[in-house]
Amino acid sequence: MPLATSLAIFQSCNITGVPKSTRFAILRDMAMVRKAERRPPLNKTHKLKRQDWAKKYLKTDFSKVLWTDEMRVSLDGPDGWARGWIGKGQRAPVRLRRQQGGGGVLVWAGIIKDELVGPFRVEDGVKLNSQSYCQFLEDTFFKQWYRKKSASFKKNMIFMQDNAPPHASKYSTAWLARKGIKEEKLMTWPPCSPDLNPIENLWSIIKCEIYKEGKQYTSLNSVWEAVVAAARNVDGEQIKTLTESMDGRLLSVLAKKGGYIGR
């Protein structure tokens, strides 16, 4: 009974009259509380495209792929994260309630093999469209990282981005092509597939760190500094584990006939 209440679980076993605290104590030894994951729905076309993608890249050397994405972090953190145990007789700490989580910062990063690229901060107030996205890549990724790489590295690197409109537009595609990122060097990406991008796991690691113990922030600069500090604590072995998971992810997509895989 996934996501069932403790009361419903006990009633399904024809057990009644058990206090809530006792139900929790019993269930804690065999289960845990989790929120349902939110994912876009997959239709038949999505599943077929995911399978085609997996077949296309099944023999790819994923150590050559740069996996990229954006993440938004707010001052207050995701809803429902401020939970934890407190001692008997203690009061729960007070949390601020602010609209839109108090505001936030948009962060871009990439991972390749065992290396973290960035994170880079999107300037406050900038709404990413095709033009601003390309300018952002020029000022950060290309000038601060890519241009330092060898010609051999650039020749073999495959650039991955999802199908967000600023990424997949004709303008952005043509702009990247002028930078030499085109055809086989620009990975095609199936729709509705955040579960296939290993950088999503990096975002989870960073968020768990910056929002642990229900932490909130008082300024955009402070939450950005926390992101940078958390990213620095992610070592190369952790990143390598994520990028080396891709062979298994592709096989899982094929085994599930295009369905979502566990992350």
Side-chain angles (χ1 to χ4, degrees):
M1 299 176 63
L3 302 182
T5 65
S6 63
L7 179 61
I9 292 172
F10 273 70
Q11 288 177 339
S12 69
C13 298
N14 295 318
I15 302 173
T16 59
V18 180
K20 186 176 182 180
S21 59
T22 304
R23 297 198 304 265
F24 279 16
I26 294 172
L27 290 174
R28 202 174 290 120
D29 291 333
M30 62 185 77
M32 59 184 66
V33 177
R34 284 289 184 268
K35 293 176 66 176
E37 292 188 36
R38 294 184 178 183
R39 291 174 173 174
L42 290 176
N43 58 34
K44 183 177 180 180
T45 299
H46 295 155
K47 291 180 180 181
L48 288 174
K49 288 185 176 181
R50 284 163 59 89
Q51 291 180 80
D52 289 343
W53 176 85
K55 292 173 184 176
K56 178 178 180 179
Y57 290 104
L58 195 57
K59 296 183 179 180
T60 299
D61 180 358
F62 289 113
S63 69
K64 303 289 195 295
V65 178
L66 175 69
W67 308 93
T68 75
D69 195 19
E70 294 92 14
M71 167 184 70
R72 185 179 184 277
V73 291
S74 67
L75 300 186
D76 294 344
D79 291 340
W81 278 40
R83 291 185 176 185
W85 296 97
I86 59 173
K88 290 184 177 180
Q90 292 182 322
R91 297 186 62 183
V94 176
R95 281 181 61 82
L96 300 174
R97 292 188 63 183
R98 297 175 283 200
Q99 290 186 346
Q100 303 299 318
V105 172
L106 189 62
V107 179
W108 182 97
I111 54 175
I112 181 169
K113 196 175 180 179
D114 59 356
E115 184 176 359
L116 172 63
V117 182
F120 298 117
R121 177 178 177 177
V122 177
E123 185 178 346
D124 298 341
V126 172
K127 183 177 181 180
L128 284 188
N129 53 31
S130 299
Q131 291 79 9
S132 60
Y133 173 65
C134 292
Q135 187 61 54
F136 172 81
L137 289 182
E138 175 66 28
D139 296 338
T140 55
F141 167 69
F142 281 103
K143 287 185 177 180
Q144 299 183 42
W145 187 81
Y146 188 72
R147 74 175 182 179
K148 301 176 183 178
K149 296 298 183 180
S150 67
S152 174
F153 177 91
K154 294 175 182 177
K155 179 181 178 181
N156 293 310
M157 190 197 80
I158 300 172
F159 187 86
M160 173 272 155
Q161 59 183 1
D162 65 22
N163 296 319
H167 303 169
S169 68
K170 291 182 179 179
Y171 179 96
S172 297
T173 302
W175 185 85
L176 285 170
R178 291 195 295 273
K179 291 287 187 179
I181 298 178
K182 58 184 176 179
E183 298 171 348
E184 294 304 311
K185 289 176 57 60
L186 180 63
M187 178 175 280
T188 57
W189 193 247
C192 304
S193 297
D195 58 318
L196 300 181
N197 190 351
I199 202 173
E200 294 289 345
N201 300 85
L202 175 67
W203 294 147
S204 295
I205 293 170
I206 290 175
K207 285 184 175 181
C208 285
E209 177 62 26
I210 67 175
Y211 296 122
K212 65 182 179 182
E213 299 178 356
K215 185 172 178 60
Q216 293 178 287
Y217 296 86
T218 57
S219 69
L220 298 182
N221 285 338
S222 64
V223 73
W224 164 243
E225 290 168 1
V227 169
V228 173
R232 286 174 179 166
N233 287 332
V234 179
D235 61 38
E237 284 302 312
Q238 288 177 285
I239 295 172
K240 189 176 180 181
T241 298
L242 297 181
T243 56
E244 288 185 346
S245 70
M246 289 311 303
D247 289 319
R249 295 185 194 223
L250 269 66
L251 292 173
S252 293
V253 169
L254 294 174
K256 294 190 176 184
K257 297 182 179 181
Y260 278 126
I261 65 173
R263 284 194 284 167

